[in-house]
């Protein structure tokens, strides 16, 4: 007796004959999902021998690297379930789709989403929320999942219509329902060339816009609505609760699957409202924590460690692994960026010092992290301490990404760097001062404060000697502290200064004295007054 051959991707009866499902990609195994989500940089061994200025362009490929883990594959699996199950209750061949449209008309006529409709329809919509620590790859993973599906499908049978498979929006600031509707209509207008903003978002009330938004979702058989950055609603006193209740209605009443995405700061918002959404517990909350220093982290590091354009190649050691984890605290985004920046640092140095080995060391990893991760240093320290209160203050890594963009642009463009020609500040070695860019910025700041050139140079030299690898802001603070404690003599003789209250309102000495009365340092006082600006601004220019 022979067994019947099972097709590689069998068709399930609940999905069969549904035009909204028929043109979607076939069901995928987790192995297939992993392969489709994987984003590895192009790498060729011969590129290691390329000149330094060319290798820099190779190294920045790491910025687009995405190495999915089990939880990202699980996200793709859940999204497939959410999407297809949502379409089961909206099959146009069983009149479910037309019934949804009729119900939408009735709600608009009665001006309420709560209106009792004449054609009840089976609701198969589910929902789940994705929350996690900043930098763990929530948005990137979701984008990779969405890329697996066509966003728009044009149908001619059984009805002529435009199906929108998915739509991704960001939560509006202040929880504005009106802005959510406008963003929704604008996104669809840009996608399929309609004029919904003009028709439904001009000269109407928010309640009318919400009804039309729900109707348009049904008209175009919207498969899934993704709302990113939901933590923006945290702390919003007016609007956030109404917006979340509307999202619940989209799931419960309209039958539209919704996926909110955000940091852990949004947990209380979702617990309070979105957990009431129909069947939300079926697919549940996905909470992504940072990686622990375990086998998962080790596999992740080993995956991207092979993409080295430095020479000689550096083998991954326990010390390097530990340094990388300590400086990134298991945040995948930071780990890849730090690995990339460390390579750029070495290649930049070797561009000037020909023949110098480009070896990745724990010391280099820590130095680059200290100098390039200034913007997220407080978050990293909060992660080290596992301080939930401090971590609650950090919603995203957008400021870091902006800074990384400046660093990469400066590197690729070959902008003037320190005297040794590297693109990054390098700590002083053997008693020599190599980072003239920092010196110049410090001198310019001191000169703007009225410090004579010769005195300013002496102060900078002294500060650098005591803190050779110090951050520019830290160096300036130490210099200003020295100035406050022991005001230097000017290069030219000056009469004894009058009391601060007799000085002009805009006199720097009066500003500093006034700040001191309020327990504010001289540097902070001058910074607030706009007299000086942080040196890092000079580097990012």
């Amino acid at each position: 007796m022979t067994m019947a051959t099972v097709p590689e991707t069998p068709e399930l009866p609940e999905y069969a004959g549904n035009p909204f499902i028929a043109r979607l990609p076939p069901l995928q195994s987790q192995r297939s999902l992993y392969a489709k989500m994987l984003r590895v940089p192009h790498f060729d061994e011969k590129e290691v021998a390329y000149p330094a200025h060319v290798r820099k362009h190779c190294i920045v490929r790491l910025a687009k690297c995405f190495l999915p883990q089990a939880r990202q594959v699980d996200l793709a699996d859940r999204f497939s379930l959410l999407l297809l199950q949502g379409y089961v209750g909206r099959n146009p061949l069983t009149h479910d789709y037309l019934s949804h449209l009729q119900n939408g008309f009735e709600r608009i006529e009665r001006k309420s989403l709560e209106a009792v409709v004449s054609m009840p329809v089976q609701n198969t919509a589910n929902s789940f929320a994705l929350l996690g620590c900043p930098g763990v790859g929530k948005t990137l993973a979701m984008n990779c999942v969405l890329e697996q599906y066509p966003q728009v499908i044009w149908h001619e049978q059984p009805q002529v219509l435009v199906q929108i498979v998915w739509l991704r929006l960001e939560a509006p600031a202040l929880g504005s329902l009106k802005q959510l509707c406008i963003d929704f209509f604008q996104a669809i207008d840009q996608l399929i060339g309609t004029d919904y903003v003009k028709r439904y978002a001009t000269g109407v009330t928010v309640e009318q816009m919400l009804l039309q938004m729900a109707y348009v979702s049904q008209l175009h058989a919207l498969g899934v609505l993704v709302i990113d950055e939901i933590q923006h609603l945290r702390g919003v006193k007016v609007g956030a609760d109404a917006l979340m209740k509307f999202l619940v209605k989209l799931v419960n009443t309209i039958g539209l699957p919704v996926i909110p995405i955000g940091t852990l700061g949004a947990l209380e918002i979702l617990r309070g409202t979105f957990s009431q959404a129909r069947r939300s517990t079926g697919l549940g909350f996905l909470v992504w924590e940072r990686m622990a220093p375990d086998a998962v982290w080790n596999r992740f590091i080993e995956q991207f460690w092979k993409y080295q354009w430095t020479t000689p190649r550096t083998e991954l050691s326990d010390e390097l692994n530990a340094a990388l984890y300590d400086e990134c605290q298991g945040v995948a985004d930071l780990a890849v960026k730090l690995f990339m920046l460390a390579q750029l640092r070495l290649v930049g140095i070797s561009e000037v010092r020909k023949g110098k080995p480009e070896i990745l060391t724990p010391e280099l990893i820590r130095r680059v992290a200290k100098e390039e991760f200034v913007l997220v240093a407080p978050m990293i320290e909060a992660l080290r301490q596992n301080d939930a209160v401090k971590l609650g203050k950090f919603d995203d890594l957008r400021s870091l990404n902006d800074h990384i963009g400046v660093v990469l642009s400066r590197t690729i463009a070959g902008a003037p760097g320190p005297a040794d020609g590297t693109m990054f500040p390098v700590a002083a070695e053997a008693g020599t001062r190599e980072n003239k860019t920092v010196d110049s910025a410090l001198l310019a700041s001191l000169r703007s404060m009225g410090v004579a050139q010769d005195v300013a140079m002496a102060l900078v030299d002294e500060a650098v000697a005591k803190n050779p690898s110090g951050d520019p802001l830290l160096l300036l603070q130490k210099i200003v502290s020295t100035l406050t404690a022991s005001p230097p003599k000017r290069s030219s003789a000056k009469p004894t200064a009058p009391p601060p209250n007799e000085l002009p309102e805009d006199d720097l000495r009066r500003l500093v004295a006034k700040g001191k009365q309020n327990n504010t340092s001289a540097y902070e006082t001058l910074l607030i007054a706009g007299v000086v600006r942080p040196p890092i601004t000079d580097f990012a220019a």
Side-chain angles (χ1 to χ4, degrees):
M1 187 175 88
T2 59
M3 296 182 63
T5 302
V6 178
E8 184 176 349
T9 306
E11 186 174 33
L12 301 179
E14 60 266 39
Y15 298 156
N18 188 327
F20 293 154
I21 295 177
R23 292 172 63 180
L24 296 176
L27 303 181
Q28 304 284 324
S29 67
Q30 290 206 339
R31 185 180 296 274
S32 177
L33 290 171
Y34 173 84
K36 289 180 178 297
M37 295 176 69
L38 184 65
R39 301 284 185 274
V40 296
H42 172 77
F43 181 78
D44 192 323
E45 288 288 349
K46 67 181 181 181
E47 293 175 340
V48 178
Y50 287 174
H53 68 279
V54 177
R55 283 187 288 149
K56 291 176 185 175
H57 290 258
C58 299
I59 293 170
V60 296
R61 296 172 188 161
L62 284 164
K64 300 184 182 300
C65 178
F66 180 63
L67 307 173
Q69 302 160 25
R71 59 191 181 189
Q72 278 99 3
V73 177
D74 178 56
L75 172 66
D77 229 353
R78 289 175 185 246
F79 183 88
S80 175
L81 287 167
L82 192 78
L83 176 65
L84 271 63
Q85 285 295 312
Y87 277 134
V88 167
R90 292 188 281 171
N91 187 345
L93 295 183
T94 60
H95 301 292
D96 286 347
Y97 170 70
L98 294 179
S99 297
H100 275 293
L101 291 181
Q102 177 61 36
N103 292 339
F105 275 127
E106 293 181 12
R107 293 187 184 101
I108 291 173
E109 288 178 353
R110 299 173 187 177
K111 300 180 180 180
S112 174
L113 284 171
E114 306 287 355
V116 178
V117 293
S118 60
M119 303 182 68
V121 186
Q122 178 189 16
N123 185 356
T124 59
N126 278 289
S127 61
F128 68 84
L130 173 58
L131 305 178
C133 173
V136 296
K138 302 181 297 296
T139 299
L140 182 57
M142 180 56 73
N143 288 341
C144 287
V145 171
L146 296 178
E147 287 174 6
Q148 310 308 316
Y149 298 86
Q151 190 170 10
V152 176
I153 299 175
W154 300 81
H155 292 271
E156 294 183 358
Q157 294 292 336
Q159 292 97 15
V160 177
L161 64 91
V162 182
Q163 175 187 357
I164 299 177
V165 179
W166 56 267
L167 196 66
R168 178 186 172 276
L169 303 175
E170 285 197 6
L174 306 179
S176 169
L177 276 171
K178 178 179 180 181
Q179 190 59 52
L180 177 70
C181 293
I182 293 174
D183 292 345
F184 176 86
F185 292 132
Q186 284 181 339
I188 292 184
D189 286 349
Q190 293 173 4
L191 198 58
I192 60 177
T194 49
D195 61 347
Y196 290 142
V197 171
K198 181 179 178 181
R199 291 164 58 184
Y200 300 139
T202 304
V204 296
T205 65
V206 173
E207 289 72 19
Q208 289 173 314
M209 283 196 286
L210 292 175
L211 289 166
Q212 294 293 355
M213 177 178 170
Y215 177 72
V216 169
S217 297
Q218 295 291 12
L219 178 64
H220 293 293
L222 177 58
V224 176
L225 177 62
V226 179
I227 307 291
D228 205 350
E229 307 294 350
I230 202 72
Q231 74 277 358
H232 288 172
L233 305 182
R234 185 184 61 186
V236 175
K237 296 181 179 179
V238 179
D241 187 56
L243 189 150
M244 293 308 302
K245 287 181 178 178
F246 173 67
L247 295 182
V248 170
K249 288 178 183 177
L250 289 180
V251 181
N252 293 353
T253 306
I254 308 302
L256 170 62
V258 177
I259 303 177
I261 301 177
T263 64
L264 295 175
L267 188 57
E268 291 305 317
I269 301 171
L270 297 175
R271 274 180 179 166
T273 306
F274 198 74
S275 58
Q276 302 168 14
R278 185 176 185 273
R279 302 193 184 189
S280 65
T281 54
L283 296 180
F285 277 81
L286 298 181
V287 179
W288 291 0
E289 298 283 359
R290 60 194 173 110
M291 285 181 279
D294 54 17
V296 174
W297 166 264
N298 292 337
R299 284 196 299 271
F300 175 71
I301 297 300
E302 290 167 0
Q303 276 184 290
F304 70 70
W305 195 262
K306 59 187 175 183
Y307 301 111
Q308 290 184 41
W309 286 268
T310 50
T311 182
R313 176 182 176 81
T314 304
E315 295 301 323
L316 180 61
S317 64
D318 291 342
E319 292 76 14
L320 279 165
N321 190 329
L324 200 57
Y325 186 86
D326 185 53
E327 297 298 339
C328 301
Q329 287 298 304
V331 178
D333 186 60
L334 292 179
V336 174
K337 284 181 169 63
L338 182 53
F339 181 59
M340 175 182 66
L341 291 172
Q343 289 192 62
L344 285 169
R345 171 73 62 90
L346 288 174
V347 171
I349 294 173
S350 68
E351 190 172 7
V352 175
R353 302 175 186 173
K354 304 296 184 182
K356 184 177 178 64
E358 301 165 353
I359 301 175
L360 293 161
T361 64
E363 294 74 23
L364 175 74
I365 294 291
R366 295 187 184 280
R367 182 194 306 166
V368 173
K370 179 180 180 181
E371 296 173 0
E372 300 297 350
F373 282 4
V374 175
L375 296 177
V376 291
M379 190 193 84
I380 295 298
E381 187 56 34
L383 287 170
R384 283 196 188 99
Q385 299 174 8
N386 199 24
D387 190 322
V389 176
K390 291 182 179 179
L391 284 172
K393 300 177 182 178
F394 304 103
D395 279 339
D396 58 50
L397 293 177
R398 194 166 291 174
S399 58
L400 171 70
N401 290 329
D402 291 344
H403 177 60
I404 296 297
V406 171
V407 172
L408 297 183
S409 298
R410 189 171 66 228
T411 302
I412 299 304
D420 64 1
T422 65
M423 296 299 108
F424 302 91
V426 182
E429 298 177 4
T432 62
R433 178 63 179 164
E434 300 175 338
N435 191 2
K436 300 301 182 185
T437 302
V438 174
D439 289 0
S440 299
L442 292 174
L443 287 171
S445 296
L446 291 174
R447 293 292 293 136
S448 70
M449 294 164 59
V451 180
Q453 179 72 18
D454 56 342
V455 176
M457 292 177 65
L459 288 169
V460 170
D461 289 342
E462 180 183 358
V464 169
K466 293 180 179 179
N467 303 273
S469 60
D471 174 79
L473 284 174
L474 179 62
L475 289 173
L476 186 57
Q477 288 175 341
K478 291 183 178 297
I479 292 172
V480 173
S481 297
T482 301
L483 282 170
T484 306
S486 175
K489 296 180 180 179
R490 305 288 176 168
S491 55
S492 57
K494 297 288 183 181
T496 302
N501 58 357
E502 296 181 9
L503 294 170
E505 283 292 332
D506 59 348
D507 192 285
L508 296 180
R509 293 167 294 177
R510 181 164 184 163
L511 289 174
V512 171
K514 187 176 181 180
K516 190 174 182 180
Q517 292 175 359
N518 296 325
N519 295 321
T520 304
S521 69
Y523 171 69
E524 291 175 337
T525 301
L526 295 174
L527 186 62
I528 293 171
V531 177
V532 298
R533 63 173 182 170
I536 197 169
T537 307
D538 296 321
F539 304 148

